[in-house]
Amino acid sequence: MEKIGLYLGCNIPLKAPDIEQSIRQILPPLGVEPVDLEGAACCPAWGTAPSFDLDTWCAVSSRNITLAEEQGLDIMTGCNSCFGVLSEAKHFMEDGERRRTVNQKLAKINRSFEGTSDIYHIAHVLHKKVGMEKIREGLKFDLGGLKIAVQTGCHSLWPSDVYAVKEENPYQPTILKDLCEATGAEVPHYSRLGACCGMGGMRSTDMEKSLKLFKEKLVSIKEETDADMIVTTCSSCFLQFDMSQPILRERGEIDFEPLPTFYYTQLLALAMGCDPSQVAALSQIDRSAIIARIQDEQRLIKEVA
Amino acid sequence: MLVEQKKIDEAVATIIGFGGTGILNCVQCGACSAVCPGVKAGFPLLCRNLIRSLLNGQLEEIIEDSSSWGCQACNRCTEVCPQGVRPQEVVFAFRRYQANELAFSTSAVTSQMNLYETGHAVFTDPKELRRQVGLPEVPPTSAFNKQAQEEIQALIDNGPMGELGLF
Amino acid sequence: MAKVGVYVCHCGSNIAGVIDVSAVRDYAETLPDVVIARKDLFMCSDSGQEMVKQDVRDGLVDRVVVAACTPRTHEPIFRAAIEKAGLNKYLFEMANIRDQASWVHGHDHEGATEKAKLVVASAVGKARHLEPLEDKFVDVTDAALVIGGGIGGISAALELANMGHKTFLVEKTPSIGGVMAQLDKTFPTNDCSACILTPMMVDAYNHPNIETLTYSEVDDVSGYIGNFSVKIRRKQAYVDWDKCTGCGDCAAKCPAKTPDEFNAGLSDRRAAFIMFPQAVPKKAVIDMDACINCGGREIGSEPKLNKKTGAPILAPCEKACPADAINRSLPLDPGGRIKEVEVGSIVVATGYQVMDKGWFKEMAPDSPNVITALQLERIISATGPTEGKLLRPSDNQKPKTITFVSCMGSRDANFHTYCSRFCCMYMIKQARLLKEKYPELVINMHFIDVRTAGKDYDEYYTGARRMGINFFKGKVGGLEMLPEDKLRVLAYDMESAESIEYASDLVVLATAVELPEDAQGLAQKLGLQFCGSNFFRELHPKLGPVETSTEGLFLAGCCQGPKDIPDTVSQAKGAAAAAAVPLAQGRVKIEPIISEIIPENCSGCGICVPLCPYDAIAMSEWAGTARAAIEMSACKGCGVCTSACPSGAIVLHGYEEDQIFAQIAALTSGGRNHAG
């Protein structure tokens, strides 16, 4: 079984542990063993060290990366922001002078960044290491007939020059689409596929601007796809879709019911037959109906004799 | 607006010093602003327009503007920039200039405190939720790991963030 | 003892602004064999030259060193001056203290002055050992070759032919005409491209002095100015052009389809095809890459026979041809045939290609309604796939809103840093033509800057504004694919500092101008060099814009850099005039700065033969043994053989061993060298 360092970040272990649980449950049957990076901290998020000092950012990121380097493992993140922050920091660390300065800081906590671990997002691991065929083989339910709108999120797309693993065309991302289609579901295109959801710094700085942006994206999804659900590989996007749809609904700014939203590994865990009370338990939007449709007995894939 | 070379030089040197090293590559084509979610949402000083202000020598004049904190760090600007400016690095360099002058909203302080104390910028006690979904109450992160927290504190203390008097 | 005169130039402030010219002059005076050292504000001016000439005439000096700018531009001037004063012109040496000292060390005046002294000392060191040399002359073949049959090549060929020189016009496609033949109308006068081009194509083709070779490529070039031997590959057309009448019946019957290059891929043509209705020559070609070998019969094999009648079953193209020009049974060579010609000079006018939209991932290249400007040109052309009607590719409906995007791949560090120069103008032209024809059409144009430098060009642009065409300053950041094959334009308005979004039915990308992919191979055959922008490099950007570093080889049109039709025609006529000079003179001068083999010292090892980049060395018999010998007219004086010869048997005149060593000694002396 292939081992990989599981880098959890903040939102997933603290606010959305059902996502963590879904990751932990789906990987071993697909041949990947997640290894905990004991003591891993914040990536650090864009609004913290990166907003104050480049070297401190690189030091905190590099410390996280050394936790995997020590074990000879690559890193897999669940959160898009973590993927972006760690990848960019690693890119900055290619500059010899920066690496020396940061390693001097790390030396004080008896660590040294070597640059030997690659940074993956879990979507990359599933797409490139596990592969569509194996995902299909692991399904218990076939999601044929369900329509999914996908939200890849910004931080695994741009800037493509800092990512070791990436989309062929970041403006037409296909990794998450392929992963969702592997469950049998249909993934129609919508025009604002690449648009930002408005979570992050924007939401904490100016909620109204964030909601304005989010609404445009949401309406594009609803009008152009009439999807049954939204699936994302970004835990921040997940929170925006889950928190902000009810707000827009309550204000009367949208005239449709909020679309249930899943993190991708939650969807896959449900399709693999995992217990929803463990892998998809926490959300503002009621997901019970769509979960029941996903795990409907009629969708059970019959064993081929 | 007066054009004062001294102020322009100072603004450019400040931004380059904080990591916006590509600022002088900018030809003001505006491609970054065409795709910037912050510009679209209505923040006035991001991407091309922020760079224009800085290249006009406006630095102190715009220090209180909150636009830079509305940057999503999506880096789509970097992807479309035809001149290798890496506009997000300029926005973040300006943000760092603001931060080091303590020109940021108090709401941003909480996440710095969280990071310093728990190693997590976003922190809530997760024990109940984790138990509910069948996970160990304590995650294998720095959240409840004293040694990890001390390491983070050492890294922060040993840099400009440690000198801001936040912790 | 040589009597060396040193003349130090201020070059206005170019040199004197950095270097202490008086100090350099004083220093020069102390060098061995220097009898006179003078300085002047501009040595190349009349008075400066006169100063040198007078010293020569007075018998004061017999070797001249001018410390000034580059020998590339100014060596000929001073050589001519001393020759007029009665001195052999090769007793001259130039010290380039501008490029090598003042320009590169502008921040360090003292250091630059010291370096200038060294450069002067080195030139003096060499000058002391200079020997008189004599120019040599060879006869010229009075014929020219023009490579490329676009408007540049046609213009150059007509000019040469009208001057009375036999001219071969080689074009790789089946017809001359080039990109201009694909255009609808031309700015800034909006005259029909075909109407002004077609008569020129016919003139060139029918000109008694022009031999037009289409569907042909240059295979190999050898020789030198005045005497080039060129192998031209006449590609296999699989149609007998002596018989073909251009009726097009073969194309009408051919069932095999492939994208039509002339329509920029917007429609299909047949494997048997005539390039376009006004093609010159109007001859059919069978494109074997697209041919489906009807009836399973390979080209070059006998037809099957009808079982009942015994008559041969011919392919549709064969059967259709009323002129009997297609016979698929013949064992035709797929490589075509080689035609060898001898010419005295060559004009390269191979043109350009535009970048494919696929490079621009942010611009929804998968959408059929995102097209290049050349594709729009075909759409609005009466000979195009929609016969000139504006219909968008996805559904053949008329768009209501159309968007123009400039600088796709130009002024972009990811692709080409240069400006493609004529996109702004052709976009405005296309917009104006459309607005005239469809006043209700909404036209939005997005520019970084509107660049309309040229005679009557800015008026053309301001006129477009008055017509109600919308201009936005700001580069488009991306396109999003909307339902019904529309596109959402993600743009920016720099003037209001706001982002712009709207739905468009058709988006036109002005993709960058670049050299065609096959230019690399041609460059190797001809010995052409590339400039930083990856076009062919001219000899000098200002003073040698049509010449190249290979004598007798000239450039015209977009292969030298992006330019519009007026500039291309101007340059083509200039190149033709320059190419005609050696033909008119009847003989060309061979500079004596070439290598010579001293047969007594040569061991006949042959090492030099393959090393010579100009194939100028061959083994020949000397006193009964094999010795290397250099063909004087082919030698370029590069010195490779001289430095490689293990016997020291090769002398490079003008760069002889004692001269070079004197230079090295001076340069390594640290400025103190006063020894011989």
Side-chain angles (χ1 to χ4, degrees):
Chain A
M1 197 173 305
E2 184 166 351
K3 291 184 179 183
I4 193 152
L6 173 61
Y7 178 79
L8 292 168
C10 303
N11 279 327
I12 290 178
L14 305 180
K15 285 180 148 180
D18 54 343
I19 296 180
E20 179 182 331
Q21 183 62 284
S22 69
I23 293 172
R24 291 186 186 280
Q25 292 195 10
I26 60 153
L27 285 179
L30 296 172
V32 178
E33 182 187 336
V35 179
D36 284 336
L37 302 176
E38 204 65 54
C42 181
C43 51
W46 298 104
T48 63
S51 300
F52 287 78
D53 177 50
L54 201 43
D55 287 341
T56 308
W57 163 13
C58 289
V60 176
S61 287
S62 299
R63 177 190 169 274
N64 286 324
I65 296 170
T66 62
L67 299 174
E69 287 182 357
E70 282 165 4
Q71 304 185 64
L73 299 173
D74 286 333
I75 288 186
M76 175 182 74
T77 74
C79 165
N80 255 19
S81 297
C82 298
F83 177 75
V85 166
L86 293 177
S87 297
E88 280 220 54
K90 192 171 180 230
H91 180 71
F92 283 127
M93 292 291 280
E94 281 165 18
D95 171 20
E97 204 182 316
R98 171 132 12 241
R99 189 183 283 213
R100 266 190 301 282
T101 314
V102 171
N103 266 336
Q104 279 166 11
K105 286 175 186 283
L106 290 173
K108 298 202 168 125
I109 56 169
N110 299 316
R111 295 187 180 279
S112 172
F113 172 86
E114 305 297 335
T116 50
S117 294
D118 279 335
I119 320 285
Y120 287 80
H121 188 285
I122 188 166
H124 302 141
V125 173
L126 290 170
H127 195 263
K128 299 193 194 306
K129 288 184 184 267
V130 173
M132 299 308 112
E133 203 170 321
K134 216 158 179 191
I135 288 174
R136 275 192 289 272
E137 284 168 12
L139 295 178
K140 190 170 169 193
F141 299 99
D142 181 341
L143 305 197
L146 290 174
K147 225 188 277 175
I148 294 175
V150 293
Q151 163 70 359
T152 297
C154 305
H155 292 129
S156 58
L157 300 178
W158 306 295
S160 55
D161 61 353
V162 308
Y163 300 137
V165 200
K166 56 192 161 196
E167 299 276 353
E168 252 172 60
N169 178 356
Y171 301 97
Q172 295 291 332
T174 53
I175 290 177
L176 181 54
K177 182 178 195 282
D178 292 348
L179 289 172
C180 287
E181 284 174 349
T183 67
E186 184 195 341
V187 184
H189 172 81
Y190 64 97
S191 61
R192 295 199 194 272
L193 173 67
C196 169
C197 72
M199 189 61 186
M202 185 184 292
R203 200 172 196 272
S204 47
T205 305
D206 191 329
M207 174 91 159
E208 291 310 311
K209 288 193 170 70
S210 165
L211 287 175
K212 178 178 138 191
L213 210 64
F214 175 67
K215 183 180 158 186
E216 273 189 359
K217 171 146 200 146
L218 183 65
V219 169
S220 158
I221 289 174
K222 183 67 187 176
E223 286 181 354
E224 295 171 30
T225 72
D226 195 24
D228 297 301
M229 64 188 125
I230 290 160
V231 172
T232 178
T233 35
C234 173
S235 52
S236 296
C237 297
F238 170 80
L239 292 174
Q240 176 80 321
F241 275 95
D242 191 47
M243 290 189 303
S244 296
Q245 288 191 78
I247 296 173
L248 293 178
R249 180 68 177 138
E250 195 166 314
R251 290 182 181 181
E253 288 198 43
I254 52 172
D255 58 3
F256 51 87
E257 287 307 315
L259 298 166
T261 305
F262 294 96
Y263 187 83
Y264 176 72
T265 53
Q266 296 183 308
L267 177 82
L268 184 56
L270 291 171
M272 288 167 76
C274 297
D275 177 359
S277 74
Q278 293 201 329
V279 300
L282 309 169
S283 65
Q284 304 275 315
I285 301 169
D286 181 7
R287 298 187 291 195
S288 52
I290 187 74
I291 290 174
R293 278 179 73 192
I294 291 169
Q295 297 197 327
D296 189 316
E297 270 182 31
Q298 296 196 339
R299 295 187 175 280
L300 275 170
I301 296 169
K302 292 178 188 67
E303 296 284 334
V304 182
Chain B
M1 185 179 67
L2 287 170
V3 178
E4 292 181 58
Q5 190 59 45
K6 208 175 136 226
K7 287 182 67 179
I8 295 172
D9 293 345
E10 188 193 330
V12 169
T14 304
I15 292 305
I16 290 175
F18 278 115
T21 50
I23 184 169
L24 288 177
N25 290 349
C26 181
V27 297
Q28 292 281 300
C29 75
C32 52
S33 289
V35 296
C36 173
V39 170
K40 186 174 153 66
F43 288 103
L45 284 177
L46 281 172
C47 284
R48 175 253 161 195
N49 217 26
L50 172 65
I51 296 174
R52 180 70 266 168
S53 296
L54 295 166
L55 292 175
N56 286 344
Q58 307 287 294
L59 189 64
E60 288 166 30
E61 290 83 348
I62 59 172
I63 193 169
E64 295 299 338
D65 188 277
S66 65
S67 300
S68 77
W69 300 87
C71 169
Q72 291 286 58
C74 74
N75 248 327
R76 193 166 173 174
C77 52
T78 300
E79 193 79 14
V80 299
C81 176
Q83 298 294 343
V85 175
R86 303 193 88 88
Q88 183 183 307
E89 298 307 329
V90 176
V91 174
F92 265 67
F94 180 65
R95 213 195 247 194
R96 285 172 203 138
Y97 161 73
Q98 291 178 303
N100 283 274
E101 301 286 330
L102 292 176
F104 56 92
S105 87
T106 46
S107 65
V109 174
T110 319
S111 43
Q112 317 310 323
M113 303 284 284
N114 284 341
L115 176 66
Y116 190 80
E117 284 163 11
T118 67
H120 286 288
V122 178
F123 185 81
T124 49
D125 192 323
K127 288 180 183 142
E128 201 188 313
L129 287 178
R130 293 182 65 84
R131 193 170 49 234
Q132 184 193 327
V133 301
L135 284 172
E137 288 185 350
V138 171
T141 69
S142 62
F144 302 97
N145 181 329
K146 191 128 199 328
Q147 195 211 323
Q149 290 164 1
E150 282 170 4
E151 288 188 20
I152 296 297
Q153 286 156 13
L155 293 177
I156 292 174
D157 284 338
N158 181 27
M161 278 183 89
E163 291 159 18
L164 293 177
L166 298 175
F167 316 115
Chain C
M1 285 280 276
K3 296 183 283 183
V4 182
V6 178
Y7 302 86
V8 188
C9 183
H10 288 244
C11 197
S13 61
N14 256 319
I15 292 171
V18 174
I19 287 167
D20 183 345
V21 171
S22 295
V24 176
R25 193 214 67 84
D26 295 349
Y27 170 79
E29 215 167 36
T30 68
L31 293 166
D33 288 355
V34 172
V35 292
I36 282 172
R38 302 186 194 273
K39 63 188 179 73
D40 196 67
L41 190 59
F42 289 104
M43 278 307 304
C44 57
S45 68
D46 254 6
S47 62
Q49 291 188 46
E50 192 49 43
M51 185 198 299
V52 181
K53 286 198 242 175
Q54 195 56 48
D55 287 345
V56 172
R57 283 195 290 259
D58 292 346
L60 293 175
V61 301
D62 61 11
R63 302 284 188 282
V64 172
V65 170
V66 172
C69 54
T70 170
R72 271 179 62 186
T73 54
H74 280 58
E75 191 174 63
I77 295 169
F78 293 111
R79 277 185 178 169
I82 63 169
E83 190 171 39
K84 265 188 199 155
L87 195 62
N88 181 284
K89 65 181 177 179
Y90 294 101
L91 298 175
F92 171 81
E93 186 65 19
M94 209 154 173
N96 186 352
I97 61 171
R98 184 193 68 179
D99 299 19
Q100 292 169 16
S102 69
W103 274 3
V104 283
H105 306 295
H107 56 284
D108 178 6
H109 292 199
E110 205 172 303
T113 302
E114 289 310 307
K115 184 169 176 189
K117 290 178 185 173
L118 281 180
V119 174
V120 170
S122 152
V124 169
K126 184 179 176 193
R128 296 169 67 205
H129 297 275
L130 287 174
E131 294 295 333
L133 298 170
E134 294 305 324
D135 287 337
K136 301 182 172 96
F137 295 87
V138 291
D139 289 336
V140 161
T141 308
D142 185 9
L145 169 69
V146 176
I147 309 173
I151 182 60
I154 292 171
S155 301
L158 278 170
E159 210 68 11
L160 282 159
N162 285 337
M163 284 186 267
H165 304 295
K166 164 83 181 174
T167 303
F168 300 93
L169 176 59
V170 174
E171 163 58 39
K172 69 179 172 184
T173 71
S175 170
I176 55 173
V179 179
M180 189 173 166
Q182 294 173 274
L183 306 183
D184 177 34
K185 295 192 169 63
T186 53
F187 61 78
T189 42
N190 287 4
D191 32 9
C192 155
S193 188
C195 310
I196 57 175
L197 176 67
T198 316
M200 281 181 74
M201 290 159 65
V202 174
D203 281 356
Y205 190 71
N206 291 334
H207 200 292
N209 283 341
I210 296 179
E211 185 170 342
T212 304
L213 305 166
T214 65
Y215 211 47
S216 298
E217 285 177 315
V218 170
D219 220 40
D220 186 50
V221 177
S222 60
Y224 48 90
I225 179 169
N227 295 281
F228 291 107
S229 298
V230 185
K231 290 194 176 114
I232 297 165
R233 180 175 299 278
R234 310 222 58 196
K235 295 190 280 188
Q236 185 53 264
Y238 297 99
V239 176
D240 185 342
W241 279 16
D242 291 336
K243 293 179 181 167
C244 177
T245 61
C247 68
D249 286 357
C250 53
K253 290 288 189 293
C254 173
K257 287 183 184 174
T258 191
D260 186 348
E261 302 88 348
F262 189 75
N263 279 339
L266 287 170
S267 63
D268 286 335
R269 62 161 169 82
R270 304 298 163 140
F273 72 107
I274 291 174
M275 207 173 138
F276 56 100
Q278 301 78 24
V280 173
K282 196 168 183 187
K283 300 287 179 189
V285 163
I286 300 175
D287 169 4
M288 271 305 148
D289 291 336
C291 176
I292 53 173
N293 296 316
C294 292
R297 174 178 156 222
E298 292 292 320
I299 188 79
S301 62
E302 290 295 330
K304 291 172 188 156
L305 300 179
N306 184 307
K307 280 179 188 155
K308 280 187 190 157
T309 65
I313 305 170
L314 297 176
C317 53
E318 281 176 305
K319 206 158 42 180
C321 182
D324 207 14
I326 304 177
N327 181 349
R328 298 179 64 101
S329 314
L330 296 174
L332 297 170
D333 183 346
R337 63 194 163 80
I338 298 290
K339 178 185 173 76
E340 293 193 39
V341 301
E342 304 288 323
V343 295
S345 54
I346 300 175
V347 176
V348 180
T350 46
Y352 70 101
Q353 67 179 19
V354 290
M355 286 180 78
D356 188 82
K357 67 172 180 171
W359 288 100
F360 308 105
K361 292 177 175 176
E362 74 278 24
M363 290 296 170
D366 295 340
S367 167
N369 293 330
V370 175
I371 59 174
T372 65
L374 189 59
Q375 289 177 317
L376 179 66
E377 206 67 51
R378 294 311 301 147
I379 288 174
I380 61 178
S381 164
T383 62
T386 60
E387 291 166 343
K389 284 193 277 297
L390 177 67
L391 302 175
R392 62 178 203 163
S394 70
D395 54 7
N396 274 325
Q397 295 297 308
K398 203 183 108 197
K400 294 188 175 68
T401 300
I402 174 168
T403 300
F404 286 87
V405 184
S406 75
C407 295
M408 295 309 308
S410 310
R411 306 176 70 194
D412 186 329
N414 302 307
F415 300 104
H416 301 302
T417 52
Y418 53 80
C419 166
S420 289
R421 276 190 75 193
F422 53 87
C423 325
C424 283
M425 279 301 289
Y426 73 58
M427 282 194 294
I428 294 169
K429 174 202 74 180
Q430 292 178 332
R432 286 180 62 130
L433 294 174
L434 289 173
K435 195 73 181 173
E436 271 169 18
K437 200 166 172 187
Y438 312 100
E440 72 291 353
L441 185 65
V442 176
I443 304 180
N444 295 332
M445 310 192 72
H446 301 266
F447 293 90
I448 300 177
D449 307 286
V450 181
R451 292 184 166 175
T452 52
K455 193 174 174 182
D456 298 331
Y457 287 7
D458 215 55
E459 294 83 348
Y460 194 70
Y461 157 54
T462 50
R465 283 189 170 261
R466 284 195 294 277
M467 290 170 74
I469 294 163
N470 305 318
F471 287 79
F472 299 97
K473 276 186 78 180
K475 188 173 157 104
V476 171
L479 300 173
E480 290 175 342
M481 283 192 278
L482 284 164
E484 297 163 7
D485 288 319
K486 285 170 176 274
L487 294 137
R488 182 185 292 122
V489 181
L490 306 180
Y492 182 70
D493 172 35
M494 214 174 290
E495 274 118 348
S496 66
E498 282 184 37
S499 54
I500 300 173
E501 262 194 28
Y502 62 89
S504 188
D505 301 305
L506 182 64
V507 177
V508 183
L509 307 181
T511 57
V513 169
E514 59 183 14
L515 267 195
E517 280 132 20
D518 51 10
Q520 189 79 38
L522 186 69
Q524 268 168 4
K525 288 169 192 156
L526 291 167
L528 286 166
Q529 295 172 337
F530 292 92
C531 66
S533 299
N534 211 32
F535 290 97
F536 294 145
R537 183 192 290 281
E538 66 285 338
L539 180 65
H540 188 281
K542 283 153 274 184
L543 305 178
V546 301
E547 297 90 334
T548 68
S549 57
T550 304
E551 282 186 281
L553 190 57
F554 303 90
L555 300 177
C558 285
C559 66
Q560 181 257 345
K563 52 184 71 69
D564 59 15
I565 295 167
D567 284 357
T568 293
V569 172
S570 304
Q571 196 186 21
K573 292 188 175 187
V581 170
L583 309 186
Q585 286 177 334
R587 57 176 202 163
V588 287
K589 184 175 73 187
I590 304 290
E591 274 211 359
I593 300 182
I594 52 175
S595 288
E596 185 186 352
I597 292 175
I598 313 298
E600 289 88 343
N601 299 349
C602 175
S603 70
C605 71
I607 282 176
C608 53
V609 176
L611 288 177
C612 176
Y614 306 100
D615 294 331
I617 313 180
M619 298 305 283
S620 68
E621 201 184 290
W622 181 83
T625 51
R627 290 288 181 262
I630 295 178
E631 166 56 42
M632 178 186 78
S633 51
C635 176
K636 298 277 184 285
C638 71
V640 167
C641 57
T642 308
S643 52
C645 177
S647 313
I650 309 181
V651 177
L652 175 55
H653 294 297
Y655 292 89
E656 294 184 25
E657 214 165 273
D658 53 346
Q659 297 165 355
I660 299 281
F661 280 115
Q663 284 197 282
I664 295 171
L667 283 171
T668 52
S669 68
R672 294 178 307 276
N673 175 45
H674 286 197

